[in-house]
Amino acid sequence: MNLQSPYFIGIMSGTSTDGVDAALVKINEHDATPAKLIATSSLDIPMSLREAILNLNQSGPDELRLAAEVSLELGKLYADATQNILLENSLLADDINALGIHGQTVRHRPERGYSIQLNAPALVAELTGIDVVSDFRSRDIAAGGQGAPLIPAFHHAMFRDHHKARALLNIGGISNLSLLHPQQATSGFDCGPGNMLLDYWCHKHLGQKFDKDGVWAASGAINESLLDFLTESESWFTLPPPKSTGRDLFNGQWLEEKLETFFKLHPTVDSYQGADIQATLVALTVKSIIDSLKKHAGDTEELIVFGGGAANPLIMKQLAAALDYPVLSSDTYGIGTQAMESMAFAWLAWAFRQRLATCTPDMTGARHASVAGSLHPA
């Protein structure tokens, strides 16, 4: 532990459950750009662990034991990612101020007062010898908030422009927006499914974890009637922000039930091509984002995109075609599309050290602002 060190490590494993991303970040609050990305490192999540995580998104037998065991396995993976980035940059544990680790969300029900992230912060602190800041959602939810999204405060510190309205779009398993306006408080909310349904459908039909470069979706045709049905039959899309969601709602079961209902309502359709459904799911992701921007951020002048979806040319092309302002990858600003979230959690660990209130009513709908995180000392 080195409380004087400006170096923090952020670790993120998102709802896509494909890997663990680590970011080494140097923070100087007095700089115009307070956080500088030094290095990144990634580890794949083993398939057996990924399947165990996905199974825990729904109730099942002996799930308390399984959740505990998966948390420990994730903790070891987080520790490995930390050790890798230390070795790759010739650093020691004492060179790092703290780790910011979000954990793996398996249940997100803020309306019921909880959000569950599988994590083992005490184990990570033990294995790495570095203080761990985790549990970033609970305090905000206790104050009546969504506990999400967590990173608009980081975006505010890094990207807010005094003359230009910007939006930052994360397309991970779920897509979410941070809205940065020169004259208004920074806000944020979830738009709907990002890659989650795309990955499910691709794995079911092709046995692949994801549709690389959107090639399979591009080979299909959008079913406009199905797109309208998916949008109009789901009441979540009509909720006003701030709002958040996850696998509790947008999962494989949701999609299968929607498809079954749609094809019962359209009996003349005897069959469908898997690629057409994939193309329609891409359109659903894009439509939920565009609708959110036009309804809640009509004066946006620039959209900065990151997360796995930013690597999908089909999604980026459709976003650019629907908007009359620049749609840019976060790479344009020197932050890799896969590094943004892990970098944000390094910054959130720093903000916790400073006792900065990074969750606010405009971002999460809470009754008051609060400091996000809890500490597990090394």
Side-chain angles (χ1 to χ4, degrees), residues 25-351:
V25 179
K26 184 178 182 180
I27 298 178
N28 184 346
E29 61 181 307
H30 302 297
D31 286 353
T33 303
K36 181 181 180 182
L37 181 63
I38 304 300
T40 61
S41 186
S42 297
L43 288 173
D44 289 339
I45 294 178
M47 184 57 70
S48 59
L49 181 57
R50 183 175 190 266
E51 291 175 354
I53 292 168
L54 294 176
N55 288 338
L56 285 166
N57 280 270
Q58 298 180 0
S59 295
D62 207 12
E63 61 182 335
L64 291 178
R65 176 186 63 82
L66 292 172
E69 291 178 350
V70 168
S71 294
L72 293 173
E73 289 304 307
L74 279 170
K76 294 173 185 175
L77 203 59
Y78 297 153
D80 288 344
T82 301
Q83 299 293 359
N84 284 354
I85 208 164
L86 291 176
L87 288 170
E88 291 164 4
N89 294 277
S90 301
L91 295 172
L92 301 174
D94 197 47
D95 295 317
I96 307 301
N97 191 308
L99 306 175
I101 306 179
H102 174 260
Q104 189 70 46
T105 301
V106 290
R107 307 290 171 85
H108 183 67
R109 300 300 298 270
E111 75 281 3
R112 295 187 179 182
Y114 66 87
S115 183
I116 299 174
Q117 285 73 48
L118 301 181
N119 198 355
L123 177 63
V124 179
E126 177 67 22
L127 293 175
T128 63
I130 304 172
D131 286 4
V132 175
V133 182
S134 61
D135 190 24
F136 289 96
R137 300 188 189 275
S138 294
R139 184 64 186 90
D140 182 76
I141 292 175
Q146 293 283 307
L150 288 168
I151 60 178
F154 169 69
H155 290 153
H156 179 97
M158 294 289 290
F159 293 98
R160 185 170 182 265
D161 189 288
H162 293 293
H163 307 286
K164 179 190 296 185
R166 282 175 170 160
L168 279 94
L169 170 65
N170 173 34
I171 310 178
I174 295 294
S175 62
N176 51 68
L177 284 166
S178 296
L179 305 180
L180 314 180
H181 195 281
Q183 284 85 41
Q184 298 173 12
T186 293
S187 61
F189 56 91
D190 287 353
C191 305
N195 300 315
M196 187 178 295
L197 299 179
L198 299 173
D199 293 349
Y200 166 80
W201 194 249
C202 183
H203 185 264
K204 177 179 177 178
H205 286 265
L206 302 184
Q208 300 172 2
K209 291 204 299 186
F210 64 97
D211 181 15
K212 184 173 175 57
D213 295 330
V215 171
W216 187 42
S219 72
I222 298 170
N223 184 324
E224 296 290 348
S225 296
L226 175 58
L227 176 60
D228 290 341
F229 175 77
L230 293 174
T231 304
E232 295 168 5
S233 66
E234 179 48 63
S235 61
W236 186 90
F237 289 118
T238 66
L239 295 176
K243 61 180 180 178
S244 59
T245 188
R247 286 190 186 276
D248 302 74
L249 177 59
F250 294 110
N251 51 41
Q253 181 179 348
W254 180 91
L255 177 58
E256 298 291 356
E257 290 176 354
K258 293 292 185 183
L259 291 176
E260 182 180 1
T261 301
F262 175 78
F263 286 108
K264 282 183 179 178
L265 293 172
H266 297 78
T268 58
V269 180
D270 296 325
S271 63
Y272 59 87
Q273 296 296 318
D276 295 342
I277 302 298
Q278 187 78 353
T280 305
L281 292 175
V282 168
L284 175 65
T285 290
V286 173
K287 178 176 171 53
S288 66
I289 293 165
I290 297 300
D291 288 350
S292 296
L293 284 166
K294 291 185 174 180
K295 188 172 183 178
H296 303 292
D299 55 356
T300 297
E301 299 171 73
E302 182 179 81
L303 181 65
I304 302 170
V305 188
F306 62 98
N312 186 318
L314 192 60
I315 290 177
M316 295 295 283
K317 181 180 178 180
Q318 290 184 18
L319 286 171
L323 299 170
D324 58 2
Y325 46 81
V327 177
L328 306 171
S329 161
S330 63
D331 288 317
T332 306
Y333 288 91
I335 300 176
T337 57
Q338 285 299 109
M340 181 75 80
E341 283 192 291
S342 52
M343 185 179 180
F345 280 96
W347 184 87
L348 284 168
W350 169 83

